[in-house]
Amino acid sequence: MTERKIRVLITKPGLDGHDRGAKVVARALRDAGMEVIYTGLRQTPEMIAEAALQEDVDAVGLSILSGAHMALVPRVLELLRANGQGHVHVFVGGIIPESDIPALLAMGVRAVYGPGTSTQKVVEDLRAAILQENHA
Amino acid sequence: MTTLAEEVLAGSRLALARLLTLIENEDPQGEAALDRLFPHSGRAHWIGVTGSPGAGKSSLVNRLAQAFRRPADGSPPRTVAIVAVDPSSPFTGGALLGDRVRMRDLSGDPGVFIRSMASRGALGGLARTTPAVVQALDSAGFDIILIETVGAGQSEVEIARLAHTVLVVEAPGMGDDIQAIKAGILEIADILVLNKADLPGAENALRTLRAMLELGRPPHEETAESLPVVWRPPLVPTIATQNEGIAELLGHIQAHAAYLRQSGGWQVRDRSRLQTQLEELLQTALLKRWRSSLPEGQYQQILTDLQARRISPYQALHSLLGEPPLPQSIQRGSTALFNA
Ligand SMILES: Nc1nc2c(ncn2[C@@H]2O[C@H](COP(=O)(O)OP(=O)(O)O)[C@@H](O)[C@H]2O)c(=O)[nH]1
Ligand SMILES: [Mg+2]
């Protein structure tokens, strides 16, 4: 049996226009040895949950700059759970006001990363979380 | 308790996705599920799509899947699974799988299932487990399986061995040349596609490709016996981004399937594919069994002798297999060296 690879979906929900940040994270995760499925811009929560299901990912990273996170994130979480993928590690990056973070974490988001976060931190968190899950 | 295989047969997409992961990881649970599913395989049309990165393979797969879902001739929609393979980094083992970006039109359709795969070190344009993944999708009941290869290999012969129908996708390059026609790539084409026919140079590229096809080679031979029909690979211009030429391409794909069924080529390909699969499994298993039956010390000694140039690799092989060495008369050169 070959080593089990970490599979991550990196995606950009909402209508805002550029995906530079998402691509930077995608490349960093790839360079850390993970298999990163990249979907591109303007994904609806339905599209994201469908891709997460078909690709059987361990984690989903949502890059949100539009300010619509309080609408988009709960919907993604809800759909993942409805599909039997409540175990998937969901993290959010982008422009998220400090004051929204507790609510996001309470919903089931595992981590929220602001614009200044090093990609190394994202990699380490993800590795640790998935390692822990496999031992659980 | 229902097994994973039963859930897959009952149409669970979650079970299917998990099964594909187990297969990719070469987990024994995946193997067990495949055993159960195998009798249900053998019905789908496996279509390979190969060609250089950027030629438009993913964009074409997106359009073809749409066309299979809504046939222009009013025939019933076909269900479609897509396997898109991208390269793994040889250094980190990581991969960026971006083919879904071009397939967003397919989302929300329960008759479509898209799976991205990393090549995980394999060099022939597919991952080692791609055949088993495709087999699983076939067993799950999809009518059509589109397999997009990495497209970077020197010769992507593996897809020719795997698929019933191979599409080789080219695109106009700079000036009047066409983008990278790799040696051997035309030989594997059942259908040659010139995508990006909207770009300058398309006319010249078409002319070049047509000439190459005519010069090329005899028509495909599917059986040793004489064929009732002969397949000449057609050249089809498309513009994937504008959905141009797709209906024509679909027509050729369906004609190729009909040709294979009529000529017996379908069975020939099925049998040789299964033979390849079996022999690859045999190779791995026999080597493993044989190695474990050999005392490690003896094996290491032979490696040492090899490294010291006391014996040649062929002599090592004969010695390991307990075969007599070749008779002196056929040995050439300084045999004294070996006999010392
Ligand atoms: N002009 C033009 N561009 C195309 C066409 N088909 C695909 N493309 C573009 O070519 C690029 C690569 O396409 P993609 O499908 O990802 O190619 P792949 O790497 O072979 O899978 C994308 O930017 C597409 O939008 C076409 O028919 N005409
Ligand atoms: Mg592609």
Side-chain angles (χ1 to χ4, degrees):
Chain A
M1 178 175 159
T2 56
E3 148 206 28
R4 192 184 159 290
K5 282 275 168 206
I6 297 178
R7 286 171 68 86
V8 190
L9 183 74
I10 294 294
T11 183
K12 183 104 190 51
L15 298 173
D16 55 309
H18 79 79
D19 58 353
R20 240 167 296 141
K23 280 183 171 159
V24 168
V25 172
R27 282 193 209 104
L29 297 177
R30 174 199 60 189
D31 293 342
M34 300 180 194
E35 292 182 352
V36 182
I37 295 111
Y38 185 69
T39 63
L41 294 165
R42 286 186 288 281
Q43 300 284 303
T44 64
E46 285 74 15
M47 291 161 104
I48 293 167
E50 182 183 47
L53 179 79
Q54 294 174 354
E55 302 288 357
D56 187 29
V57 290
D58 304 291
V60 174
L62 303 166
S63 163
I64 310 179
L65 307 169
S66 62
H69 48 274
M70 294 312 278
L72 293 168
V73 175
R75 183 77 183 127
V76 170
L77 291 168
E78 182 189 338
L79 290 167
L80 286 173
R81 286 190 194 115
N83 286 344
Q85 287 196 303
H87 61 279
V88 169
H89 177 99
V90 177
F91 60 100
V92 178
I95 302 168
I96 311 289
E98 251 343 282
S99 55
D100 287 341
I101 295 177
L104 289 170
L105 295 176
M107 278 170 208
V109 170
R110 310 289 178 89
V112 179
Y113 302 109
T117 317
S118 81
T119 54
Q120 195 51 39
K121 167 124 179 73
V122 182
V123 167
E124 278 163 17
D125 286 357
L126 205 51
R127 274 216 189 105
I130 285 161
L131 201 67
Q132 197 179 20
E133 202 159 285
N134 289 347
H135 287 277
Chain B
M1 201 188 88
T2 57
T3 65
L4 190 62
E6 280 153 7
E7 288 177 43
V8 169
L9 290 175
S12 163
R13 293 160 79 85
L14 182 61
L16 177 59
R18 288 213 176 120
L19 170 62
L20 300 186
T21 305
L22 292 171
I23 293 172
E24 275 199 281
N25 291 341
E26 299 185 306
D27 188 303
Q29 280 177 277
E31 201 178 296
L34 271 182
D35 292 345
R36 282 274 289 110
L37 291 170
F38 188 72
H40 299 269
S41 71
R43 283 186 299 223
H45 185 187
W46 300 11
I47 303 166
V49 182
T50 188
S52 306
K57 297 181 295 297
S58 300
S59 309
L60 274 173
V61 164
N62 177 49
R63 293 300 188 187
L64 282 172
Q66 285 179 293
F68 276 117
R69 295 298 295 143
R70 283 188 296 277
D73 62 4
S75 59
R78 324 287 302 278
T79 53
V80 181
I82 296 166
V83 179
V85 188
D86 277 317
S88 298
S89 157
F91 304 107
T92 65
L96 198 50
L97 313 174
D99 295 311
R100 292 187 85 100
V101 173
R102 312 265 166 243
M103 302 181 191
R104 52 177 293 139
D105 298 332
L106 304 174
S107 61
D109 182 344
V112 175
F113 191 101
I114 307 170
R115 181 70 173 220
S116 312
M117 285 187 90
S119 63
R120 298 196 181 177
L123 297 174
L126 301 172
R128 196 158 47 137
T129 56
T130 303
V133 160
V134 174
Q135 219 159 50
L137 291 163
D138 184 335
S139 310
F142 290 96
D143 300 317
I144 303 292
I145 301 172
L146 291 160
I147 307 150
E148 178 182 340
T149 76
V150 169
Q154 273 303 302
S155 61
E156 304 230 322
V157 285
E158 272 183 35
I159 190 62
R161 244 183 282 155
L162 185 68
H164 296 107
T165 302
V166 175
L167 275 53
V168 171
V169 184
E170 297 284 350
M174 311 302 281
D176 55 6
D177 216 356
I178 82 155
Q179 199 184 60
I181 303 182
K182 293 176 201 141
I185 195 85
L186 287 187
E187 275 95 294
I188 68 166
D190 295 306
I191 298 171
L192 188 57
V193 182
L194 182 77
N195 189 43
K196 306 196 183 184
D198 54 319
L199 292 188
E203 279 305 318
N204 279 324
L206 276 174
R207 216 172 300 126
T208 311
L209 286 171
R210 198 168 292 124
M212 290 180 83
L213 275 181
E214 275 157 21
L215 277 173
R217 57 198 179 78
H220 282 191
E221 263 181 60
E222 289 295 344
T223 59
E225 305 99 61
S226 62
L227 289 172
V229 249
V230 153
W231 181 260
R232 291 181 194 285
L235 172 60
V236 191
T238 59
I239 308 172
T241 41
Q242 296 166 35
N243 208 16
E244 295 260 352
I246 305 301
E248 291 76 5
L249 180 55
L250 193 74
H252 287 293
I253 291 172
Q254 281 164 339
H256 188 250
Y259 157 75
L260 285 179
R261 291 191 191 280
Q262 226 180 319
S263 65
W266 191 278
Q267 278 71 29
V268 171
R269 286 195 183 199
D270 193 44
R271 192 179 177 87
S272 74
R273 166 164 12 100
L274 291 168
Q275 182 180 349
T276 306
Q277 193 182 1
L278 178 62
E279 285 174 5
E280 278 169 6
L281 291 171
L282 259 174
Q283 264 179 29
T284 316
L286 284 178
L287 181 64
K288 206 164 145 193
R289 182 194 293 180
W290 179 84
R291 276 285 276 112
S292 65
S293 72
L294 190 76
E296 188 58 26
Q298 190 187 340
Y299 195 61
Q300 291 304 328
Q301 184 55 50
I302 283 183
L303 287 175
T304 306
D305 289 345
L306 262 176
Q307 197 181 1
R309 270 58 183 177
R310 280 192 288 273
I311 57 170
S312 77
Y314 300 109
Q315 288 173 318
L317 177 68
H318 293 308
S319 152
L320 282 169
L321 295 181
E323 291 168 352
L326 288 183
Q328 290 297 310
S329 58
I330 0 178
Q331 288 186 15
R332 286 171 197 272
S334 52
T335 55
L337 208 68
F338 293 127
N339 297 335

